[in-house]
Each structure stands twice: as C-alpha cells, then as structure tokens.
Amino acid sequence: MSATLGRRRILWRKPSILPGFAPSLTITLVWLGVIVVGPLGVMLWFTAGLGWRGFFSILAHPRVIGDLFVSLWTAFAASLVNAFFGLLVAWVLTRYRFPGRRLADALVDLPFALPTAVAGIALSTLYAPNGWIGHVLAPLRITIAFTPAGIVVAMMFVSLPFIVRTVQPVIEDLEAEQEEAAKLMGATDFDIFRRISLPAIMPALLTGFALALARCLGEYGSIIFIAGNKPMISEILPLLIVAKLDQFDYQGATAIGTLMLMVSFLLLLAINLLQAWVRRRHGG
Amino acid sequence: MAVSTQPIEAYLVNKPAREKPFPWGPALLITTALGFMALFLVLPLLIVFSEALSAGLAEYLAALDDPNVFSAIWITLIIAAIAVPANVVFGVIAAWCIARFEFSGRNLLITLIDLPFSISPVIAGLLEVLLFGLNGLLGPWLGNHNIQIIFALPGMVLATTFVTFPFVAREIIPLAQEQGNDEEEAAVTLGASGFQIFWRVSLPKLRWGLLYGVLLCNARAMGEFGAVSVVSGKIYGLTDTLSLAVESLYDSYEIQAAFAVASLLAMLALVTLVLKAALEWRHRDELHAVRRKKAAT
C-alpha cells in the first residue's frame, strides 16, 4: 500500500469501515499502561536508581547467585522431563483410542485449575518421608520432599499442561500420507516417529518448553511447601524476593526482581532463536 | 489420490489383516502415559480429600465452620468479583481493537498483553509494593490521605488483576481474528451503529470463547497465591484469601484444617475442569481454532 507509493509510513492503519478504532485503542493502551507496563516501568526505574554498582553489589551476594543457580537448574530439569512426558501424554491422547481417554484429556488441565497452594501442600504431604509416595521411596534412600528434587516435582506438576496443550494440536494436524509411505517402504514405527513426526512436532515442543520454563522459573506457591528452602541449596529466587520484602529490603527485592525479568527474557529470546533455526532446518 | 479406508497393514504381504497381533507398543505407551498422569495428577488431588476427611466428616465440617474461613471465602469472592469483570471488559475492548483492525504495532500489543504470563506472581506483588507501599512511589501521598492499598484489599485486587490480565484477552483475540469481519462490515452497510454491531453481532459471535476465558480467569483469580501473599500482609481472618488460609493453617500445623480449606479450592478446580470440558465438547470447532492459532504463534 504505502510501500508501493515509495515511502513507508512508520505508523499505518488499513482503512476500515468499522467504527471504534481510536477509542478501543486508547482504552487498551491506557489499561495496559496502568496495570502492566507502568508498574514494570516503576520497577526498572527503581533499579536504575540503584546505579550499576548498587545493582551488582546486591546481585554479587552468594545467596543470590546460589538461589539463581537453584532456580535455573531445577526449572530446566523439570521442563526437560516434562518435554518427554508431556509429548508422550499428548501423543497417546491424540493417536490412540482407549477407555477413559476423554477423562484423561480433561485431567491434563488440572494444574491450571488447581490453586498452587493446594498443589503445594498436597505434593509435600505425598512426598514427605511418611507420605503415600515418600514411604515407598524411603527404603530406597530417595528423599524428595525438602530437597531440590522436591522443587523439580512441584515444577513438573505446574508446567505439564503447557507442553501437552502446545503439542497436541500439532499432532492432530500431522498428515498421515508421509507416515503411511514410510511404513510401506518398511520403516519401523520408531523410525517413522523419529524421522517424520518428531521434526514436525519440534517447533511446537520448543514453544511448550519455553512456556513451561517461564512458568517454572516464576512459580512460588506450590514450591515453598515442598522445597525445604535452604539458601543456595533448595531455595528459589522468588522466595528470596519474598524474604527481602519481609525485611522491608525494597532495594534488594527490586534488584532481584529485575534480574529475574532479565533472565527469563534472555531464555525466551534464546528459545525463539532456536525455534527459528529448527523451522529453517526442517523447512517447516 | 485415492483414499483407502483399509488399514495400511492390509497391503503388507506378510501381515494378513485378519490375525492382527495384540498392539504391544501402543499398549506400553498408553500405560506409561496414564501411569505418569496417575502419579502426578490424580494422587495430589486424591490426597487433598483423603487428608481433609482423615478425622471424619464431623471434624471436616467443624474445620470449615470457622469465622476466619468464612472471611477467607468472602475475600476470595470479592477479589474475583472485581478482577474477572475488569479483565472481561478489557479483553473485549482489546479484541475489538486488535482483531477488527489492522495497524502497525499490533503484534507488539499482543506481546505486551501476554507479558504477565511470563512474569513471576511474586514480581507482580512486588510491583504493587513498589507503587503503593510505605516507601513506594505513591506511598507518602497515600499515607497523607489515609488510603491503604498494600496489606489491604485494593492491593490484592490489583495484584490479582495483573496476574490474570491476559486470560480473557488471549482467548478471544485469536477467536475474533479467525472469525473475520464480514458480519460486522455487513452490519455497517445496513446502517447499524457501533454499539448495535458490538451487542448484536460481535459479542454473540465471541460468547463461547469469552465464557472459556472467564472460566480460566476465575479459577486463577480465586486461587492466586504468590502475588496476593506478597501484598496481603497475611492478617489471618482479615486479609486472608482461601489460598492464604491454607498456608496459615498448614504452617501452624493444623494440617487437617488446612486440607479441609484446600478441599474447597480443589472442588472449585474440579467444577472448572468439568465446565471447561463441557464447553470444549459442545463448541469444539470454535475453541480448537483458537488453540491452533495460539500454537502457531
């Protein structure tokens, strides 16, 4: 349009006969600004007020670095395990017909619907040394509750639906022709999955992984009950923010909050780049 | 291409279609998937009710018959009653703007709306503290005018609104984009006013997606923990929501009572899941279009 005229306008709008563009855009922007962008801006402004030196002197504290490390590795572990099981669940729910499939499909969304505090006390009771699962694992010398493994379990619970629900529609849409052709040419089921289905699912799986990772990094409610909360071992960054706020250390909380924002945006950016690379490679 | 309804095995020479062996591979996959779900999803749900009823029904009801629990229910309902309608109104307006018009910066706008999804609820609470807390940006002014936002209901409502911000908008924007503008444009040419188009044409088209978004938004608003816990001050019986009451009781070793309150929230979750499944089943095509579109972005 405007490009064909030889100059591109930075702001453009396709003409429409529908009314209400200006008021709806204004309300959207104002509401977004008041609830989301404004408060985030205030946090960044407070962080800027600390100066680089102040910012880094808060972050250089061993407890902050230790907790960041705990948050990162547990979130990665939980999202990786869930990428496997989430893909399995999504595959089984879309590809096979078996009794109870609809019930199982509805149940996948339980972590979306169940409040995190409820999940937290339920998981910590299940995995405590005398709990239903804990007492089975205790003779094997495996403890999950009040260790970093407990954090991973809680993160897996809250992030499972992100992977299943992102991958499921893609599996539903897979074309049968390629798989059938491969089967006629003698490929095994596993080969067909690995060579044909998986590459097509991969971009969606990465998206699901990214969503799960973001959720795991930010999760608080379900983790604090099961984690043990020992600094640098089983304490996550969001809990450290709460601890700082309880001591009215606003500067510390702000700096760590900004750090968390930066980390999650860097991770999401990295996964977007990875995804673009996968799409290019498989021509998807 | 000719489409055959016969299974592919029928064409393979050494695999007669009639003697189909038991499908060991699929059976193994199904068992593993269901076992995983039983362990990770069903057991946590079961233990909530099992622990809540561990001392018998009388004790269960006694734990719930407590003024602090009633106040927690009340506060939870108030928060949801403000945050959910606010997000519905915003979602509908944002969907009108983003789906009905094409303009530059649309994708940026969608990204900004999605932002709260990838921000920790604890940070959501922190933001309200930085704005309205004693040492916050507006703290001194609020103090002079005797307005309390942090450690009181308004802060909890704001934090919940932040956390649930994308829930409704994210359901109906893709749906509205998928449906297109044909009906609306026809209405304009027939002389309908903006409000008539909105009430008679657009809103009915979106109603199921809207209901779906409201369902998810409500579940999150009633169950939110991290954001609310930061701004509530945790005054038991005064600013405790149901989720916070669960924590208070659990931390003071009243385990059975904690699970009794938790069972109320678990029932809310189950009702949400049933309604959601019913909606998905009845309006499969519409809602699936949304899922697909979301997965593609």
Side-chain angles (χ1 to χ4, degrees):
Chain A
M1 250 189 345
S2 41
T4 52
L5 292 175
R7 68 193 153 102
R8 263 182 91 96
R9 275 181 293 165
I10 297 168
L11 289 175
W12 67 276
R13 171 163 90 85
K14 199 173 165 186
S16 166
I17 58 166
L18 292 178
F21 175 70
S24 65
L25 181 66
T26 313
I27 295 174
T28 305
L29 289 177
V30 168
W31 190 237
L32 193 64
V34 169
I35 300 287
V36 179
V37 181
L40 278 172
V42 169
M43 184 171 88
L44 296 180
W45 186 65
F46 268 79
T47 309
L50 298 172
W52 284 113
R53 191 165 291 172
F55 184 60
F56 283 115
S57 72
I58 293 170
L59 300 187
H61 198 278
R63 187 170 169 193
V64 177
I65 295 169
D67 287 1
L68 172 66
F69 184 69
V70 171
S71 273
L72 282 175
W73 85 254
T74 49
F76 261 101
S79 307
L80 269 180
V81 178
N82 260 353
F84 175 78
F85 280 107
L87 177 59
L88 176 70
V89 169
W91 182 264
V92 164
L93 287 177
T94 35
R95 278 301 167 95
Y96 304 123
R97 293 293 171 268
F98 53 91
R101 187 184 66 94
R102 287 258 284 276
L103 182 69
D105 190 56
L107 205 62
V108 168
D109 286 321
L110 180 73
F112 280 154
L114 193 72
T116 52
V118 179
I121 65 169
L123 290 172
S124 110
T125 309
L126 275 178
Y127 288 90
N130 56 355
W132 291 356
I133 298 175
H135 91 271
V136 178
L137 297 176
L140 306 170
R141 293 182 171 275
I142 301 174
T143 45
I144 290 191
F146 319 122
T147 69
I151 303 179
V152 177
V153 166
M155 285 176 169
M156 279 174 63
F157 177 84
V158 294
S159 65
L160 179 69
F162 286 91
I163 304 227
V164 178
R165 292 303 185 220
T166 322
V167 171
Q168 221 172 358
V170 180
I171 299 179
E172 271 167 26
D173 285 350
L174 284 182
E175 306 277 341
E177 279 92 349
Q178 289 185 7
E179 293 180 28
E180 283 174 3
K183 186 141 197 174
L184 278 176
M185 289 188 263
T188 64
D189 284 346
F190 181 70
D191 272 336
I192 295 176
F193 176 76
R194 197 173 59 94
R195 291 278 187 68
I196 295 173
S197 314
L198 193 58
I201 300 171
M202 209 55 197
L205 190 61
L206 278 172
T207 306
F209 181 83
L211 293 172
L213 194 67
R215 179 67 204 260
C216 287
L217 277 176
E219 181 53 24
Y220 172 73
S222 59
I223 294 173
I224 53 166
F225 295 99
I226 198 175
N229 305 328
K230 279 192 217 75
M232 297 152 72
I233 295 168
S234 57
E235 184 179 71
I236 50 166
L237 266 189
L239 184 67
L240 187 57
I241 295 183
V242 174
K244 296 261 179 208
L245 279 174
D246 282 346
Q247 298 155 4
F248 298 100
D249 179 3
Y250 284 17
Q251 295 189 330
T254 310
I256 299 168
T258 306
L259 172 72
M260 278 190 69
L261 275 191
M262 283 161 38
V263 168
S264 53
F265 286 137
L266 282 180
L267 285 175
L268 290 182
L269 185 71
I271 288 167
N272 272 336
L273 292 176
L274 187 65
Q275 203 177 20
W277 180 75
V278 168
R279 269 187 216 272
R280 255 201 326 274
R281 192 159 167 249
H282 293 287
Chain B
M1 204 183 104
V3 179
S4 159
T5 51
Q6 263 178 297
I8 200 85
E9 278 89 347
Y11 293 101
L12 297 176
V13 188
N14 44 9
K15 253 195 197 169
R18 239 175 272 161
E19 305 165 27
K20 238 181 161 179
F22 183 78
W24 285 109
L28 183 72
L29 290 180
I30 293 171
T31 319
T32 316
L34 292 185
F36 176 79
M37 287 181 68
L39 192 68
F40 269 83
L41 299 177
V42 180
L43 275 187
L45 193 60
L46 281 184
I47 201 164
V48 172
F49 293 103
S50 152
E51 289 285 319
L53 294 165
S54 60
L57 192 63
E59 277 294 303
Y60 174 71
L61 294 175
L64 295 180
D65 188 15
D66 180 323
N68 289 334
V69 174
F70 290 141
S71 123
I73 294 177
W74 187 233
I75 289 172
T76 307
L77 291 177
I78 293 177
I79 292 176
I82 302 173
V84 175
N87 280 329
V88 168
V89 172
F90 168 77
V92 169
I93 294 175
W96 181 269
C97 165
I98 291 173
R100 303 276 168 245
F101 302 97
E102 283 181 44
F103 54 95
S104 56
R106 220 163 34 143
N107 288 331
L108 178 69
L109 212 50
I110 294 179
T111 311
L112 287 177
I113 292 174
D114 270 346
L115 211 53
F117 270 148
S118 48
I119 290 178
S120 173
V122 168
I123 294 184
L126 170 67
L127 296 178
E128 308 304 333
V129 173
L130 291 179
L131 267 174
F132 305 111
L134 210 55
N135 302 320
L137 191 66
L138 305 173
W141 185 86
L142 291 169
N144 289 339
H145 292 76
N146 252 336
I147 305 171
Q148 181 138 32
I149 290 187
I150 295 303
F151 306 142
L153 203 54
M156 297 161 77
V157 172
L158 279 171
T160 306
T161 310
F162 179 97
V163 172
T164 55
F165 193 79
F167 275 75
V168 178
R170 245 340 224 163
E171 286 304 323
I172 58 177
I173 291 173
L175 180 60
Q177 283 179 326
E178 185 91 0
Q179 288 171 338
N181 289 339
D182 294 353
E183 286 95 342
E184 279 83 356
E185 282 165 1
V188 172
T189 54
L190 293 173
S193 74
F195 276 99
Q196 279 174 324
I197 300 170
F198 175 75
W199 283 112
R200 303 247 182 112
V201 180
S202 289
L203 211 53
K205 266 165 67 176
L206 289 174
R207 66 189 157 182
W208 298 118
L210 192 60
L211 196 57
Y212 193 80
V214 168
L215 207 58
L216 298 179
C217 183
N218 181 62
R220 182 69 194 261
M222 288 195 174
E224 177 50 34
F225 177 76
V228 172
S229 106
V230 169
V231 295
S232 86
K234 296 179 188 166
I235 309 161
Y236 189 43
L238 261 183
T239 61
D240 260 1
T241 62
L242 281 173
S243 275
L244 295 175
V246 168
E247 190 203 19
S248 303
L249 290 166
Y250 191 82
D251 284 349
S252 51
Y253 297 102
E254 295 183 53
I255 307 292
Q256 187 258 333
F259 274 103
V261 176
S263 75
L264 296 179
L265 289 167
M267 281 187 261
L268 170 75
L270 287 178
V271 170
T272 305
L273 284 188
V274 169
L275 290 176
K276 186 168 169 296
L279 264 183
E280 272 169 5
W281 185 60
R282 284 198 55 183
H283 307 281
R284 221 182 128 76
D285 300 335
E286 272 176 58
L287 298 169
H288 266 222
V290 177
R291 264 202 208 170
R292 218 148 285 187
K293 192 138 193 181
K294 271 205 270 187
T297 52

